[in-house]
Amino acid sequence: MKTAQAGTVESMDCLVTVSEAEPGTGLVLNLAGSSVARFSKAMEKAVRETLEGLGIRDLAVSVQDNGALDLVLKARLEAAVARLKEGGESA
Amino acid sequence: MRLRRTMLYLPGNNPNMLLRGHLFAPDGLILDLEDAVAVREKDAARVLVRDVLKRGEFGSCEVTVRINGLDTEYWRKDLEMLVPLGRLDGVRAPKVDDAATVRLLDEALSEIEEKAGIEVGRIKIFCLLETAKGIFNTYDIATASPRVAAVIPGGEDLTADLRTNRSPEGTELEGIRRSVIVAARAAGVDALDTVFPRITDDEGLRRETEFIKQLGFDGKSVIHPNQIPIIHDVFTPTEKEIERAQKIVAAAKEAAERGLGAVQVDGRMVDAPVVKRALFTLTRAGLLEEGTEHA
């Protein structure tokens, strides 16, 4: 399975890992980090909006968050998806 | 005129700095896609900088991006992704060696502005002169496009190209700073100084800033927020200077109303260049709106 990453675990950033998923799987989301308990809904919304904008339905997304704002999460996810499309790495 | 006492570099792949940079209230921001970003992170940094620009909270800062060099494969993509947003005030181009480099950048900007429906010529160009050739061509570079807002001598790259290194006294940059100031003034653009690399040496920074201010520089690039208040302090006029400038401007206004060319203030002749300098002092003191026409 192909996988790709973008971001860091520095303050106000997040590390996003994306992996290909079988058609029909939908979004498989895994959120981790200190702010997840409070912001998981907002984070999921940001992920769904971004994938919708990119026209992607089936994807496994894992987020290691360190206080990233929505716009940072979205930017990291977009960069990770672009890297996946360019080939990613075999996991 | 726009104040450019301090322009703060923000690493383009660092959300923390990109989002908070304006809070330190520099006159300008440089979202850096070049040296501060590793080659393998260029793509992610571009997306991040684009989204930070979209959000557009930068206080009153002039917002610029340092693009990758025109000798790399990245610079066009940097522009294509960021210019159409319509939020950028300028682009800082590294290693500008000659007028042809400026013209190439100018044409690329015009093309993207036109396509995006942005006023053509809106985005200014800030030229980093990081080679001996660039310094030698300063005037040609500064006049190569009406977009050029400032020329900025480099520090590390330039001294390496000169086969020397940076000393605390800055001996190696002295002649260069003097020649850049003359070329910048002749071309009618700002002269901005290179960064001061020793971020804990406040005294050294103050000394260097006083020196470049006396030479005529408009400001300095900044790599750490702590450097901002020191540079602003040096560039901000004293109470006495402000008082005198206000007197001169008032006297000049009165003279103009009475149809006189020159007047006296405290026993000294005041003519156009003195009034111009006084207006400049008041602008630096924040007492005149930026953009006020100078006499």
Side-chain angles (χ1 to χ4, degrees), chain B residues 143-155:
Chain B
T143 52
S145 159
R147 292 180 190 268
V148 177
V151 285
I152 308 136

Side-chain angles (χ1 to χ4, degrees), chain B:
Chain B
M1 67 156 296
R2 197 169 204 315
L3 279 185
R4 298 193 175 107
R5 297 167 301 178
T6 47
M7 293 189 81
L8 175 65
Y9 277 106
L10 304 172
N13 203 35
N14 183 327
N16 192 352
M17 285 299 290
L18 288 176
L19 291 164
R20 295 191 314 135
H22 70 280
L23 300 175
F24 301 102
D27 290 331
L29 295 170
I30 310 153
L31 284 52
D32 188 9
L33 294 174
E34 199 217 9
D35 283 354
V37 179
V39 168
R40 50 174 294 190
E41 293 298 327
K42 297 286 185 196
D43 58 339
R46 216 181 271 126
V47 174
L48 182 64
V49 165
R50 182 201 64 195
D51 287 3
V52 169
L53 279 175
K54 269 190 198 164
R55 179 150 157 158
E57 282 175 27
F58 301 105
S60 57
C61 294
E62 182 172 41
V63 181
T64 65
V65 164
R66 177 160 72 168
I67 57 170
N68 286 285
L70 276 78
D71 55 347
T72 70
E73 58 183 293
Y74 308 114
W75 70 277
R76 271 187 201 275
K77 215 164 191 183
D78 294 343
L79 295 182
E80 281 163 6
M81 221 154 137
L82 305 179
V83 170
L85 302 173
R87 180 61 187 85
L88 277 182
D89 298 309
V91 161
R92 183 174 281 227
K95 297 185 187 67
V96 178
D97 278 350
D98 50 25
T101 311
V102 177
R103 285 196 290 267
L104 178 63
L105 180 55
D106 182 310
E107 281 164 25
L109 284 169
S110 294
E111 204 176 293
I112 298 170
E113 282 171 337
E114 203 168 326
K115 224 192 261 176
I118 298 167
E119 180 199 343
V120 173
R122 193 190 108 94
I123 307 239
K124 302 273 169 243
I125 298 177
F126 295 72
C127 300
L128 280 166
L129 314 173
E130 300 179 280
T131 59
K133 195 177 165 193
I135 295 296
F136 195 78
N137 290 328
T138 306
Y139 179 78
D140 289 346
I141 287 168
T143 52
S145 159
R147 292 180 190 268
V148 177
V151 285
I152 308 136
E156 304 303 328
D157 286 306
L158 179 59
T159 48
D161 196 42
L162 294 168
R163 298 191 193 160
T164 177
N165 49 45
R166 289 194 76 175
S167 65
E169 312 77 43
T171 315
E172 65 289 341
L173 288 177
E174 216 184 288
I176 282 166
R177 283 172 165 145
R178 291 178 198 274
S179 80
V180 165
I181 220 24
V182 175
R185 291 293 169 256
V189 304
D190 279 358
L192 305 177
D193 195 39
T194 186
V195 297
F196 185 77
R198 298 189 302 279
I199 52 176
T200 54
D201 180 6
D202 292 356
E203 270 313 298
L205 172 64
R206 183 173 289 275
R207 250 195 329 270
E208 182 167 287
T209 307
E210 281 166 352
F211 175 64
I212 60 118
K213 184 195 166 211
Q214 187 58 33
L215 288 183
F217 275 84
D218 299 283
K220 208 166 163 52
S221 307
V222 174
I223 40 165
H224 194 283
N226 289 353
Q227 298 182 322
I228 295 168
I230 295 170
I231 298 172
H232 283 187
D233 187 46
V234 171
F235 272 98
T236 304
T238 62
E239 287 286 324
K240 218 172 152 188
E241 287 168 330
I242 292 169
E243 205 178 299
R244 187 171 155 70
Q246 282 170 329
K247 254 189 191 174
I248 288 168
V249 171
K253 200 176 159 203
E254 199 191 317
E257 280 164 7
R258 288 168 50 199
L260 299 172
V263 281
Q264 277 192 22
V265 173
D266 298 337
R268 270 194 64 178
M269 261 289 268
V270 170
D271 50 11
V274 179
V275 177
K276 191 172 170 183
R277 207 156 52 226
L279 284 166
F280 185 59
T281 301
L282 296 180
T283 305
R284 267 188 179 160
L287 296 171
L288 275 189
E289 289 270 316
E290 282 183 17
T292 302
E293 279 301 311
H294 281 181

